[in-house]
Amino acid sequence: MKKIFLLTLIICFFIACSNDKQGNKDENTSSNIEASLEQGEDLNFDIHIINGTSILVEKNNKKITFDTDKATLFVFFTTWCTPCLAEIPSLNNLQNKYKDEVNIIGVLLEDKGDEDIKAFKDKHKIIYEIANGENNYLLAKSLGGVNGIPTMFLYDKYSKLVNEYLGLIPQEMLEIDIQKAIF
């Protein structure tokens, strides 16, 4: 019985959180996720980073580009997602190791103020940047949708998709793909 319980616990830990969680989500969050995005629609919008900077996202003819000179790992998360919290140390390690070649951007899919997110970032000792705002939902739609969290998209410095991930991913696996993205 203990083995079955332990196996169930491990499986739950490695499975991504569902976006259907009602916990701390505001009702407006659900409507934001439903932001309309037509097939082939051209878009230009900013993703606002809580440190005061932003990343310009351009979507033209189904091709998406970012105004960054580094590879970028977009990590879609919420503050209530257990696997999202579990991956923070690995993402911090990767940010430290590849800070000159990779931007790791946590993309919040939850309705929280910047001050709340700064407190969350301090509490969990997050060293990578976090994006907050309604355009996070537009980014999720532009990248093809986020069906569970955590979800990550890794792009090289030329905005070419290297890989996408759903759920908790081992640091070693991410590092192999990051090395592909930066060389």
Side-chain angles (χ1 to χ4, degrees), residues 34-126:
E34 300 302 319
S36 68
L37 183 60
E38 297 295 322
Q39 187 92 0
E41 182 178 350
D42 291 349
L43 296 170
N44 293 324
F45 59 94
D46 286 321
I47 299 300
H48 300 285
I49 310 299
I50 63 170
N51 71 2
T53 63
S54 63
I55 296 174
L56 176 64
V57 179
E58 295 181 21
K59 183 175 184 274
N60 299 310
N61 296 326
K62 299 183 185 177
K63 179 173 173 32
I64 194 159
T65 58
F66 313 100
D67 71 341
T68 136
D69 59 347
K70 297 180 184 180
T72 303
L73 178 65
F74 292 104
V75 181
F76 291 87
F77 77 103
T78 62
T79 59
W80 48 260
C81 168
T82 304
C84 299
L85 297 174
E87 74 182 358
I88 290 171
S90 294
L91 294 173
N92 280 341
N93 290 340
L94 292 169
Q95 182 65 61
N96 270 332
K97 187 169 185 178
Y98 295 101
K99 63 183 169 207
D100 294 331
E101 296 99 355
V102 177
N103 294 316
I104 296 179
I105 308 292
V107 183
L108 183 67
L109 292 180
E110 191 173 0
D111 188 21
K112 297 263 185 195
D114 284 354
E115 292 306 315
D116 292 334
I117 299 309
K118 287 177 185 175
F120 174 82
K121 187 175 177 181
D122 290 343
K123 177 181 177 183
H124 295 284
K125 298 176 176 62
I126 298 172

